Amino acid sequence: QTSLRKRASPSAFKGMVKDAKAAHKSLKESRMKDVEVRTSLIKGAGLGLFAARAFPRGTRLPVPYRGKRLSWEQFQRLTDPRWCFTLNEGGVWAVDGKALKKGNPLRYVNGAKTAIQKRRVNVVGVKDRGQVWFITTKAVAGGAEFLIDYGPGYWPALEEKWGRPFRVRSRIAKVKRSIQAASTRLEGTALKRKLEAELEDLEDELADLG
């Protein structure tokens, strides 16, 4: 069973940070000027977060993952969960960073999907007192892009919850426009009937996707 969760896990940090108290003693800090947002090296990913200077292993990125704090029920109702990071603590299931762009650099850290990208993973999410921080798992050179691994179940779940429904909705909008255009043409009657049949199938498909 797949799970649409961006997990924060101290255990994934190879034992460096075992709890919040230990983290505060061992972690190196960074500032906002130490990171920069620019076009990702991953094709089609949009923007990414990059190191503006060298980061040693065990450096905490400057601020926690910020955004709207959602309950499980609120998360389930989202149509676009791509900017959510799972917290699952104190009644908060996830933090949704979609709308908060300014002062929220962790929002731009892309997830590794391919085997090649996973070899470049250099940060992990760690929960600390109701917040999620990203910490470098190895030395990161200045100019390198920060990447995180969301786990094997994340991408199939994202495709199921967002990717396929998004494509179906986009197709529905396109078919509706085509139906409207066909309605204005005398010779468009047959095409309109064909499009209306396709629209009905697409709406059934979207309903099945939930």
Side-chain angles (χ1 to χ4, degrees):
Q1 184 177 0
T2 57
S3 175
L4 188 58
R5 298 182 64 179
K6 296 179 179 179
R7 301 171 184 269
S9 173
S11 63
F13 196 38
K14 300 181 180 178
M16 181 178 292
V17 182
K18 295 182 179 179
D19 54 48
K21 187 176 180 180
H24 289 299
K25 291 181 178 180
S26 64
L27 293 179
K28 304 170 185 66
E29 300 296 330
S30 63
R31 293 178 288 180
M32 290 291 282
K33 70 176 185 178
D34 296 330
V35 299
E36 59 181 352
V37 177
R38 52 187 170 89
T39 302
S40 174
L41 299 176
I42 299 176
K43 185 177 180 180
L47 297 174
L49 187 68
F50 291 78
R53 52 94 167 168
F55 278 63
R57 182 175 186 262
T59 302
R60 188 166 69 174
L61 272 61
V63 293
Y65 196 94
R66 293 170 171 169
K68 184 177 180 180
R69 300 167 80 83
L70 305 175
S71 66
W72 170 249
E73 292 75 17
Q74 290 172 317
F75 175 78
Q76 286 291 93
R77 292 195 295 268
L78 284 182
T79 57
D80 188 356
R82 290 176 295 166
W83 283 271
C84 287
F85 201 102
T86 305
L87 182 62
N88 194 17
E89 186 174 302
V92 178
W93 173 257
V95 179
D96 184 4
K98 181 177 181 179
L100 184 58
K101 298 179 181 180
K102 187 175 181 180
N104 193 21
L106 269 58
R107 174 191 189 278
Y108 298 97
V109 176
N110 286 308
K113 187 175 183 179
T114 68
I116 292 175
Q117 291 166 8
K118 288 180 179 180
R119 288 198 289 270
R120 292 167 45 208
V121 165
N122 50 22
V123 294
V124 68
V126 175
K127 290 193 293 187
D128 181 6
R129 293 178 294 185
Q131 294 182 314
V132 176
W133 296 83
F134 286 8
I135 301 169
T136 56
T137 56
K138 57 186 177 184
V140 180
E145 183 173 4
F146 293 109
L147 291 179
I148 193 168
D149 186 356
Y150 295 137
Y154 174 76
W155 295 106
L158 183 64
E159 167 65 17
E160 179 182 341
K161 183 173 177 62
W162 178 81
R164 188 178 170 195
F166 176 80
R167 290 193 296 274
V168 173
R169 289 190 190 98
S170 297
R171 180 59 184 167
I172 286 174
K174 184 176 180 180
V175 170
K176 284 182 176 179
R177 290 193 297 270
S178 298
I179 290 173
Q180 187 175 14
S183 299
T184 64
R185 301 196 304 267
L186 292 175
E187 69 277 12
T189 305
L191 175 60
K192 182 181 177 183
R193 285 199 295 266
K194 181 180 178 181
L195 289 169
E196 286 173 340
E198 181 182 358
L199 178 61
E200 185 177 351
D201 290 341
L202 287 168
E203 289 177 337
D204 286 345
E205 181 179 355
L206 187 60
D208 290 340
L209 290 173

